[in-house]
Amino acid sequence: MTLTTLDPRTALVLVDVQEGIVAMDTVPIPSSEVVQHAATLADAFRAHGLPVILVRVTGAADGSDAVPGRSEAAPPPNARAEGWDRIVAPLQQDGDVLVTKRQWGAFYGTDLDLQLRRRGITQIVLGGISTSIGVESTARAAHEHGYHLTFATDAMADRLAGSHAHSVDVIFPRLGERGTTAEIVDLLAATR
C-alpha cells in the first residue's frame, strides 16, 4: 500500500459508523477500534479545515422505504432499537455534514455528491462499516463520479473476514489507494 498524495480539497467520508452497526462483531478490526481510527481521522480533517461527512443508514419503522426486490437473503428486521441509526458519540461534531441513506451506497438517493461538489471536493478518504457493503458500494459510485479515492484500511471492518479481504485486496486497489490512519494523517500534515 502506497499513498501518493491528497488533493487540496479532500473530504473524509465515514459510512455507517452508527450505534446499531458499531454494536455488531466485526473483523479483522473490532468496531471499537474502527471508531477510534475514524475519530482520529475526523479530528485531523477538522484541524486542517477539511470536511467530515458522516453517512448513516436508516429506514421507516414499517419498512415502507426499504429497497425493493427479491433476494435469497432474509430482509433486515423492520423493528430496530431506538437510536440504532445515531452516529456514534465520538464522531459527530458541529460543522460536520450528515448524509442519510436508505440503501447500501451513500450516493444514490442522497445529496452526498451535491455536498461534495459544492465544497469543490476532488478526493475522498473513505472508511466505515461494513467494508464489503456500505464502504464498497460508496467507493464504486465515488469512482464512477470521478472522485480520487483513498481507503483508510484500519478505519473499516466487516462481519466476514473473506468479504473484508476481497474488498481491500481486490476491489479497492482498482478504485484508488490504500493506507492506514497514521499514514493518512501524516500525509495530510505533510501536504498542508
Side-chain angles (χ1 to χ4, degrees):
M1 294 184 269
T2 303
L3 295 177
T4 59
T5 190
L6 292 174
D7 295 353
R9 296 303 307 156
T10 298
L12 175 65
V13 176
L14 298 170
V15 180
D16 301 342
V17 186
Q18 61 192 62
E19 296 293 337
I21 293 176
V22 167
M24 299 185 312
D25 291 329
T26 62
V27 291
I29 300 167
S31 59
S32 60
E33 288 182 34
V34 171
V35 171
Q36 290 172 355
H37 293 300
T40 298
L41 287 166
D43 289 344
F45 271 72
R46 290 181 196 112
H48 290 286
L50 294 172
V52 173
I53 300 176
L54 304 168
V55 179
R56 70 182 188 130
V57 63
T58 194
D62 66 359
S64 60
D65 58 354
V67 177
R70 288 185 291 276
S71 71
E72 292 181 21
N78 286 338
R80 296 199 167 112
E82 179 69 27
W84 78 274
D85 58 353
R86 189 172 35 241
I87 299 293
V88 294
L91 287 182
Q92 192 166 7
Q93 293 187 12
D94 289 341
D96 293 346
V97 176
L98 181 63
V99 172
T100 300
K101 65 185 178 89
R102 287 171 167 70
Q103 63 284 320
W104 288 0
F107 280 91
Y108 181 78
T110 74
D111 66 345
L112 177 57
D113 188 51
L114 179 66
Q115 294 287 350
L116 294 167
R117 296 212 186 271
R118 284 189 174 168
R119 290 166 173 79
I121 300 302
T122 57
Q123 183 168 2
I124 296 169
V125 172
L126 196 55
I129 302 172
S130 75
T131 309
S132 67
I133 304 288
V135 177
E136 184 176 321
S137 296
T138 299
R140 288 174 182 258
H143 181 73
E144 291 166 353
H145 279 77
Y147 293 102
H148 297 132
L149 288 167
T150 297
F151 299 95
T153 57
D154 59 354
M156 62 180 69
D158 206 298
R159 294 197 60 167
L160 301 170
S163 297
H164 173 85
H166 185 266
S167 294
V168 170
D169 297 333
V170 178
I171 303 300
F172 294 167
R174 299 187 71 177
L175 302 177
E177 298 178 335
R178 300 167 294 161
T180 65
T181 294
E183 290 169 333
I184 293 165
V185 169
D186 288 347
L187 186 57
L188 186 61
T191 58
R192 299 286 176 263

